[in-house]
Amino acid sequence: MAEGPGRGKRPIANGPVVEAKPVAFVCSCEGTMPLDEKLLTRACPGHDMRFADQLCRRELERLKAALGPEADILVGCTQEAPLFEEVAGEDAPEANLTFVNLRENAGWSAEADAAGPKMAALIAAARIAPSQAPLVPLKSEGVALVYGRDETAIALAERLKDVLDVTVLLTRPGDVPAPRRSDFPVLKGTIAQATGWLGAFELTVNDFAHPAPSSRARLAFGAPRDGALSRCDIVLDVSGGVPLFPAGELRAGYLRADPGDPAAVARLAFEASQLVGEFDKPRYVTFDAALCAHSRSKKTGCTRCLDLCPTGAITPDGDHVAISAEICAGCGACAAVCPTGAATYALPASDTLMARLRALLHTYAEAGGERAVVLFHDETHGAELIDALARYGEGLPAHVLPVAVNEATQLGLDAFAAALAYGATAIRVLTRAKPKHDTGGLVRNLAYMDAIAAPLGFGEGCVATIETDDPDQLAAALAGVPVAGVPERRAAKFLPLGQGRELTVMALKELRNVAPLAVDVLPLPERAPFGTVHVETEGCTLCHACVAACPTGALGDNPDKPMLTFAEDRCVQCGLCAATCPEKVITLEPRIDFAAWAAPPVTKKEEEPFHCVACGKPFGTRSTIERIVSRLEGRHWMFSGEHARRIAVIKMCEDCRVEAVVNESFDPHDAPARPAPRTSEDYLRAREKKHH
């Protein structure tokens, strides 16, 4: 039997096998949004465009007819995605279905008639396959510790005793009635230290004591002790005190509620009852310790990620840091500020996000769209706000292109530079009025981007945040983005390749190539990940301690000649060179110098080598050897008097020096006798002699 065509291919009678286009269904949602079918067909040449009015009901058979084991279908609707997935699961479980929200993002808008280019752009971006983050397994057997002060903790344990293995720990309890039955342990103690995550908590408890079995009206506890250790899978904190963990609401398995709020305690009980079994969480950050610039030789350099991590998932670990995937809550701030690319975000990966931006902005421009504003937002808060604006307001303007990311705080210079390079007129990042994650890293990156974009002619404030929970305020902020007078400009076409710093540098270079103004040197704020180093050459001894400490190879040497070189495009401004330099002659200057990035490494200092007086081999620097000789010759007993000839050893290379020392009869301990110490008796004797 002859084999059928492969995935995505169809045979032509008596002809070759050709690639079939993926199908794109675009529905007007019962005529509630206009569709420019001609424009969409022209702007999406890679798709077999099919239009509908009620695809989810009356025309559902059209979708079924397009399904097949090799089908590749995009549907411009997310509301009815569960229905479409159910249909595909029954008829063609191997079909590839992709969904994009054209209605709330574009069609339900006061400017819907002009939203054709935007719809085409959203379809193109949706076709970029999402990157898959690896998963971290967590396992909970339901061993729970309820931490509280009084009867509230005991009542919570009563609720959960049938579904969890519960222990109650009361901190500094008052008069707590003794329970009638010992269905679960009730102990006394205060948690002094807490570590871990869902399925692997470890708690150090001070003032720990068991209750007396004879407790009558009130619980009476025995003699306390410190340093007790408790391990559990879940921690329920109704103590009303300070959270046991930084950003405790983001710690998997740690549930906390105000003991004075019965509704919150009830929710806590329900959430805890669901935390038994095996769970998978994304490994949000990919980390390459070899690239980390945290420390060298016990000198601290870069601490950007440590300063920003809200959960304590990042800790120093020798020359680099360690990132606990189990504790990481996925804010992405570490990846957004990492200067070397040691930490990169995986949901999505940077190159995937940039590929989406490229498809989005290029398709928008090719379809006739003008002055695009990219609106970055997260999947929960941002999508809900855009949905509310579409349903109850005027919707997003036709030139505002929404781009969903996992967390707004994951955005770094690479995404901002790429968006502007690919043709965006402005960038806005939508965040909560009270953010779930610290936005310090995001604000810092926006400040860097503004310092780069403004001198290049993209305008002041072309990148900024919109911090709101109100859809009307979102609409007002978008209406205030200055785009009317911004001239059109050419867009970069580069393909995003690589990860981390390599990708960021590529995006910045491409941004410079399409910038309205040709500026080579851009000063940056403090702690920016780009810059130069200045070396006071008079004080530099070319010891090359800075070269050994530099984690990126920005500082280099020359094996044939005493020389210090510097490659500016590799410098991440970690400060390890300045911290390591014994002469303290190195200072940092944050900046971007595009000309220096394109040039070969520059020589910061160069000297003539000193030639060995025995074999002529070059070693060290002439100035250093001559300075050492001048300080020792005739001034130190080992190189004076009968030992004056030994000064020649200083002028020899390491091999000849060893041979000379081995062959000579010289006692290094044969130093001149020290003068006798002067005692009080000597002083008194001299004074008495003077008086007589």
Side-chain angles (χ1 to χ4, degrees):
M1 180 180 292
E3 278 193 358
R7 178 177 178 83
K9 297 182 179 180
R10 61 180 177 223
I12 295 179
N14 300 320
V17 175
V18 296
E19 193 76 21
K21 290 182 180 180
V23 176
F25 281 101
V26 179
C27 181
S28 71
C29 198
E30 299 181 313
T32 58
M33 61 181 191
L35 298 179
D36 190 336
E37 296 184 7
K38 290 183 178 179
L39 184 148
L40 289 173
T41 301
R42 184 179 68 253
C44 303
H47 294 82
D48 178 3
M49 301 297 297
R50 303 181 187 182
F51 302 93
D53 290 320
Q54 196 191 62
L55 185 65
C56 58
R57 301 292 186 273
R58 187 174 63 250
E59 299 173 272
L60 186 58
E61 292 300 324
R62 295 181 58 194
L63 176 70
K64 291 182 178 181
L67 289 170
E70 306 297 329
D72 188 1
I73 299 174
L74 180 143
V75 181
C77 174
T78 52
Q79 175 180 290
E80 300 298 331
L83 171 64
F84 299 135
E85 288 175 336
E86 180 182 350
V87 170
E90 295 174 353
D91 296 350
E94 296 181 4
N96 177 40
L97 257 66
T98 305
F99 302 95
V100 58
N101 186 351
L102 298 182
R103 189 178 66 182
E104 281 82 3
N105 284 340
W108 279 1
S109 167
E111 299 181 10
D113 289 336
K118 181 180 182 178
M119 289 185 181
L122 293 172
I123 291 172
R127 296 303 306 181
I128 304 299
S131 55
Q132 299 297 322
L135 298 176
V136 180
L138 302 177
K139 183 178 181 180
S140 167
E141 296 180 353
V143 179
L145 179 75
V146 179
Y147 186 53
R149 294 181 179 274
D150 49 30
E151 297 95 319
T152 301
I154 297 176
L156 178 58
E158 284 283 352
R159 287 187 181 187
L160 294 169
K161 66 181 181 181
D162 294 330
V163 292
L164 299 177
D165 181 0
V166 183
T167 298
V168 174
L169 183 66
L170 300 177
T171 174
R172 302 182 183 90
D175 290 335
V176 178
R180 291 176 54 248
R181 288 170 53 90
S182 298
D183 292 321
F184 44 81
V186 178
L187 310 170
K188 184 186 81 163
T190 298
I191 297 176
Q193 183 178 5
T195 60
W197 51 85
L198 176 65
F201 285 107
E202 187 170 294
L203 313 170
T204 302
V205 182
N206 290 339
D207 193 33
F208 175 76
H210 287 269
S214 60
S215 297
R216 187 173 182 181
R218 301 286 183 266
L219 283 173
F221 294 91
R225 64 183 177 90
D226 291 343
L229 193 64
S230 173
R231 294 185 177 89
C232 59
D233 298 322
I234 308 165
V235 178
L236 294 89
D237 185 354
V238 288
S239 66
V242 177
L244 299 178
F245 300 96
E249 69 279 4
L250 304 177
R251 180 75 58 121
Y254 175 64
L255 308 176
R256 183 169 176 265
D258 181 354
D261 186 346
V265 174
R267 288 193 298 271
L268 196 73
F270 175 76
E271 292 176 21
S273 68
Q274 307 302 306
L275 294 180
V276 180
E278 296 183 0
F279 305 88
D280 288 327
K281 64 172 289 188
R283 186 180 294 273
Y284 296 104
V285 176
T286 302
F287 183 68
D288 184 350
L291 298 177
C292 183
H294 170 60
S295 175
R296 295 293 186 276
S297 303
K298 297 184 179 181
K299 298 288 185 180
T300 301
C302 178
T303 61
R304 292 171 173 90
C305 61
L306 289 165
D307 297 340
L308 289 173
C309 181
T311 62
I314 305 178
T315 53
D317 186 20
D319 283 353
H320 50 83
V321 299
I323 301 180
S324 169
E326 294 83 1
I327 297 175
C328 173
C331 72
C334 56
V337 300
C338 181
T340 65
T344 55
Y345 206 71
L347 201 67
S350 297
D351 56 346
T352 300
L353 177 58
M354 289 173 63
R356 288 181 181 172
L357 290 170
R358 183 178 188 272
L360 181 83
L361 290 161
H362 284 187
T363 303
Y364 177 77
E366 290 167 1
E370 296 180 347
R371 298 180 178 86
V373 174
V374 170
L375 177 65
F376 288 110
H377 65 88
D378 64 20
E379 295 278 7
T380 52
H381 168 261
E384 290 175 0
L385 220 57
I386 292 171
D387 183 273
L389 185 60
R391 293 174 180 271
Y392 307 110
E394 295 191 344
L396 290 178
H399 67 285
V400 174
L401 308 182
V403 177
V405 293
N406 189 53
E407 295 289 349
T409 45
Q410 76 186 69
L411 296 167
L413 278 174
D414 52 355
F416 299 143
L420 290 178
Y422 287 138
T425 298
I427 297 171
R428 291 296 181 266
V429 182
L430 176 58
T431 66
R432 292 172 171 84
K434 294 183 178 179
K436 179 175 68 173
H437 299 291
D438 181 11
T439 59
L442 172 64
V443 172
R444 187 187 303 174
N445 279 325
L446 287 169
Y448 297 155
M449 195 67 246
D450 196 48
I452 295 168
L456 290 176
F458 293 95
E460 295 285 346
C462 72
V463 292
T465 57
I466 299 176
E467 302 170 13
T468 183
D469 300 331
D470 186 334
D472 292 330
Q473 291 181 1
L474 171 61
L478 291 173
V481 178
V483 296
V486 178
E488 290 296 318
R489 56 179 176 80
R490 62 193 179 97
K493 302 292 184 182
F494 72 98
L495 293 172
L497 301 173
Q499 284 290 342
R501 185 179 178 86
E502 177 186 5
L503 202 56
T504 303
V505 170
M506 175 190 293
L508 288 170
K509 287 180 177 178
E510 294 290 343
L511 180 66
R512 163 65 177 78
N513 292 339
V514 298
L517 300 178
V519 179
D520 279 337
V521 181
L522 306 171
L524 295 179
E526 290 296 322
R527 305 196 70 185
F530 305 103
T532 188
V533 298
H534 298 290
V535 180
E536 298 176 19
T537 54
E538 292 297 323
C540 176
T541 61
L542 288 176
C543 68
H544 290 156
C546 57
V547 176
C550 182
T552 63
L555 288 164
D557 58 3
N558 185 335
D560 300 322
K561 194 174 186 179
M563 182 184 294
L564 178 64
T565 63
F566 176 67
E568 186 159 333
D569 60 330
R570 300 179 188 174
C571 180
V572 297
Q573 297 283 286
C574 64
L576 279 169
C577 55
T580 305
C581 178
E583 286 83 23
K584 303 303 178 187
V585 295
I586 297 179
T587 55
L588 308 179
E589 179 190 352
R591 73 178 190 185
I592 289 179
D593 186 338
F594 291 105
W597 282 9
V602 297
T603 300
K604 288 292 183 178
K605 183 172 182 179
E606 178 182 4
E607 284 194 25
E608 288 298 319
F610 190 91
H611 292 271
C612 174
V613 295
C615 69
K617 173 184 173 181
F619 76 100
T621 62
R622 179 174 297 278
S623 62
T624 300
I625 300 300
E626 290 177 349
R627 183 164 57 250
I628 293 173
V629 169
S630 65
R631 290 181 178 180
L632 295 178
E633 191 172 21
R635 300 184 182 185
H636 192 282
W637 71 269
M638 293 182 69
F639 304 98
S640 304
E642 62 180 14
H643 303 306
R645 68 183 187 280
R646 296 198 74 255
I647 200 68
V649 175
I650 304 298
K651 303 177 183 180
M652 297 180 185
C653 66
E654 60 274 20
D655 296 330
C656 296
R657 190 179 305 132
V658 170
E659 184 177 347
V661 171
V662 169
N663 292 335
E664 73 173 337
S665 56
F666 174 76
D667 184 1
H669 302 289
D670 186 22
R674 291 186 176 184
R678 185 175 175 83
T679 65
S680 298
E681 293 179 358
D682 295 330
Y683 173 76
L684 293 173
R685 191 180 301 109
R687 186 175 67 173
E688 182 179 354
K689 183 178 180 181
K690 180 179 180 182
H691 287 308
H692 290 287

